[in-house]
Amino acid sequence: MTISALWGKLTAPDGWVAGHKSIALFLLALALGLGLAAINVFPAPDVATRYAPMAEAFAAGEWNYAFHPRIPMLHQTLAGCFCWLFGISGFAGCRLAAVLVFALCVFPLYSLFRLVWGERAAWVGTFLYVICAELQQIAGEGLRDNLKTLAVALVALALVVLCRNARRTAVYGLLALGTAIGVTSRADLVVVLFLIWCAVGVWEIASRSFPWRTLAAAVLALALMLPALLINWKMIGYPVPDSRYAALWQKVELRLNPPLAAPPAAVPAPAAPASGAEPAAESPLEALEVPGESGFLPFSFGELCDYVKTFFEGFYVWFGVPALLAVIGRIRRREFSREEGVIAAVVVGHAVLVAAQILVHDRYLFLSTRYLTPVAPLAFGWSALFGIRAWEELKRWRPQWFTPAVLRGILAFLVLAFTGAAAGPVIKEHTSKKKSALYRGNVELAGWIAADYRGPRYFEPELDPFEYFSRKLPQVVVPRRFVQTGYLAGGSSCRFARGGGDYVLLEKGEPAPAGGPWDMVREFRCYRHDYQLWKKRPGAGREGADL
């Protein structure tokens, strides 16, 4: 039985017809994603500093550097499997993993739309997902966010089925699978999924049934997440999906068991350990600031406007506005169903909770559309209804103009237009004066460092629970616009290095880096800025460098 037929059997009796249509959309998504991945030769910052090095470490069996408590494990694990199978780089593995997940999202989305709005809306809504420029771009760059789409689509599909019948036992397994994918790919989904599980348990109780299905599915989800929890337990001493939750756990522990008061001055202090004695073991989280203790950073009115604008752009306005109009129309006509209410709650609730988590944890006004847009496709079913209704009205108005051939031309134009928008960042690397200068600057500097470096290729960095450091050398300390340089040079880049790094890139006029001795080995200009590259002298050690 094919995957598509299985989805059809799960949600509706006409699985084969739906299966063939969803396979066609799956192949279209795969083709578009692979095309973007093929032309994207410059890694995104997160890919260059996190996912690609971790995937390569996974393929090499270097487990201490394949996982990190701040970065959920699923994306780099999938990418590492591709690296191991095909002998490719971590960057290529990340792109293949992201494209595959992007295409797989077609199946749960198609089933969800068909279940709620019918076959026609399912085809159009899933087509809109496939051509969504931002999601195509995420896949082509090798980022992890398409896993959030897959996780939330699976969970939403399970919720809609359970909304109709809370005793569909097999569907709880779908809920567990979506939860495990979500928790092991994006930590900001933990709170969202926890509230969804609470709602599912209450719904099962309201259906006059003991919530044994919810409890059994929770055990299954926990079992699927167990490897990630055990890895973090080993690394930082807390079985949590993300090190930020460990910091919160630590904060709760400190409040429940506050440290004892300092002894009176008359009591002599304990004797110092003998020379050469090992100090007491220290938790990796010890002495780090607990989130929420510092004050909220001030912000301007312009920053607030940008924040609100980003929040609404996270719903992907090209399809989000038609979806909103369709929702308003269905509410006015009293056609808005309970299942649609569930989907709306997931889409809006996710956006609000993600924004709230950043405000509470990071204490400053920041939001990226990349955090919100992966869940926007759940609303594309309403976008499809709007498009279908608009097309029918146009056909009624001028039937001789709006023919099936015109419709096919419109669909082809949409594919080209949105795929062109998704390829925009890659095109700008060769056409935009600023982007092309930064691209050439990174590539040329990386080539120079790779040819110049003669030291060891690996070292053992100390674990930082909130920042990943690759073990590959040379280690290059760089400003933000040059974070890809180290990876492209065969080593690693970072914004700061406890060991000082092997090279430090500074703007001309800045003082020489600390922890030397350093030699200034190269000067160059890149888009209106002059830079100096400093190299640590051989045998100088690895101490102190910061930007």
Side-chain angles (χ1 to χ4, degrees):
M1 179 180 289
T2 66
I3 295 176
S4 302
L6 181 60
W7 285 121
K9 184 177 170 114
L10 178 67
T11 58
D14 55 344
W16 269 115
V17 176
H20 284 85
K21 290 181 180 178
S22 58
I23 286 175
L25 290 167
F26 168 80
L27 294 175
L28 176 62
L30 206 59
L32 295 177
L34 288 174
L36 287 171
I39 65 174
N40 195 334
V41 296
F42 190 55
D46 281 352
V47 175
T49 58
R50 293 179 171 186
Y51 313 137
M54 296 173 83
E56 291 169 1
F58 182 92
E62 299 168 353
W63 311 120
N64 287 340
Y65 304 98
F67 308 108
H68 189 270
R70 176 64 180 81
I71 307 167
M73 64 176 285
L74 185 55
H75 178 56
Q76 54 269 26
T77 301
L78 292 175
C81 291
F82 281 115
C83 294
W84 179 75
L85 284 172
F86 303 120
I88 56 180
S89 69
F91 180 33
C94 287
R95 285 177 288 169
L96 284 178
V99 168
L100 177 62
V101 172
F102 170 67
L104 287 174
C105 291
V106 162
F107 298 116
L109 286 172
Y110 195 101
S111 295
L112 175 67
F113 296 157
R114 185 188 51 183
L115 191 63
V116 178
W117 293 294
E119 190 73 37
R120 196 176 178 192
W123 195 97
V124 177
T126 311
F127 172 79
L128 295 179
Y129 160 75
V130 170
I131 66 171
C132 177
E134 187 161 344
L135 297 178
Q136 286 188 59
Q137 183 180 324
I138 288 171
E141 291 181 351
L143 295 166
R144 61 178 172 167
D145 302 87
N146 296 107
L147 281 165
K148 177 184 274 194
T149 306
L150 180 61
V152 178
L154 289 170
V155 170
L157 177 59
L159 290 177
V160 167
V161 176
L162 294 176
C163 186
R164 297 182 175 184
N165 184 0
R167 299 187 181 186
R168 292 283 297 274
T169 304
V171 178
Y172 286 87
L174 198 64
L175 179 63
L177 176 61
T179 299
I181 292 173
V183 171
T184 56
S185 59
R186 290 288 314 191
D188 57 8
L189 281 177
V190 173
V191 175
V192 179
L193 292 170
F194 173 77
L195 294 177
I196 287 175
W197 276 86
C198 292
V200 170
V202 170
W203 178 250
E204 189 177 5
I205 293 173
S207 300
R208 299 181 181 181
S209 173
F210 181 79
W212 66 267
R213 298 176 182 85
T214 304
L215 296 175
V219 172
L220 175 60
L222 187 62
L224 294 173
M225 295 184 290
L226 195 59
L229 300 179
L230 292 177
I231 288 169
N232 284 349
W233 192 7
K234 181 180 184 298
M235 284 188 162
I236 57 176
Y238 292 89
V240 291
D242 185 291
S243 55
R244 290 173 295 181
Y245 289 97
L248 293 173
W249 188 334
Q250 189 180 65
K251 180 179 179 180
V252 172
E253 286 181 336
L254 290 173
R255 289 191 174 180
L256 293 178
N257 300 298
L260 298 175
V267 178
S275 176
E278 291 289 332
E282 183 176 325
S283 166
L285 291 168
E286 198 167 333
L288 290 176
E289 180 183 351
V290 176
E293 293 295 331
S294 58
F296 199 95
L297 294 178
F299 55 88
S300 66
F301 178 74
E303 290 173 330
L304 177 61
C305 292
D306 288 340
Y307 180 85
V308 174
K309 176 174 174 283
T310 302
F311 181 84
F312 286 106
E313 286 177 344
F315 294 96
Y316 200 67
V317 293
W318 291 102
F319 302 152
V321 171
L324 179 61
L325 294 175
V327 168
I328 294 172
R330 289 179 68 79
I331 292 175
R332 290 183 61 183
R333 296 189 300 271
R334 298 185 179 181
E335 296 173 353
F336 196 77
S337 65
R338 182 171 60 183
E339 292 85 352
E340 291 176 276
V342 170
I343 295 173
V346 172
V347 174
V348 177
H350 164 265
V352 172
L353 287 171
V354 168
Q357 287 179 78
I358 296 173
L359 293 177
V360 171
H361 183 275
D362 296 328
R363 316 293 284 181
Y364 73 102
L365 208 62
F366 170 76
L367 193 62
S368 170
T369 56
R370 210 181 89 198
Y371 302 159
L372 305 182
T373 303
V375 178
L378 295 188
F380 290 176
W382 289 303
S383 308
L385 293 179
F386 180 89
I388 291 169
R389 188 178 182 88
W391 178 256
E392 289 175 345
E393 292 296 328
L394 290 172
K395 279 205 311 180
R396 189 177 297 113
W397 175 56
R398 288 288 189 273
Q400 69 275 20
W401 291 359
F402 297 97
T403 62
V406 172
L407 178 59
R408 287 192 290 270
I410 292 173
L411 295 179
F413 171 78
L414 290 175
V415 171
L416 293 175
F418 281 95
T419 303
V426 178
I427 296 172
K428 286 181 180 179
E429 288 170 3
H430 304 282
T431 59
S432 165
K433 186 175 181 181
K434 179 179 179 180
K435 297 287 186 183
S436 61
L438 292 175
Y439 168 70
R440 290 195 307 270
N442 270 277
V443 172
E444 291 172 6
L445 182 60
W448 191 92
I449 291 174
D452 176 76
Y453 182 69
R454 293 292 182 272
R457 288 297 171 182
Y458 300 97
F459 77 122
E460 305 296 329
E462 180 184 349
L463 174 67
D464 184 326
F466 297 105
E467 190 73 28
Y468 174 76
F469 291 95
S470 169
R471 69 188 299 254
K472 286 191 172 183
L473 296 176
Q475 188 181 50
V476 189
V477 184
V478 291
R480 188 177 302 277
R481 59 180 57 184
F482 283 91
V483 293
Q484 294 94 335
T485 297
Y487 178 76
L488 295 175
S492 58
S493 294
C494 55
R495 293 276 295 156
F496 68 93
R498 291 176 176 175
D502 301 289
Y503 296 86
V504 176
L505 184 65
L506 299 172
E507 287 202 44
K508 190 173 183 179
E510 291 187 74
W518 297 84
D519 294 320
M520 199 275 289
V521 293
R522 193 178 183 206
E523 289 186 325
F524 68 99
R525 184 173 180 81
C526 181
Y527 194 70
R528 302 176 184 174
H529 293 270
D530 293 308
Y531 293 96
Q532 293 179 330
L533 182 66
W534 296 78
K535 177 183 179 181
K536 183 171 287 185
R537 292 178 189 171
R542 307 182 60 80
E543 299 177 7
D546 202 348
L547 287 179

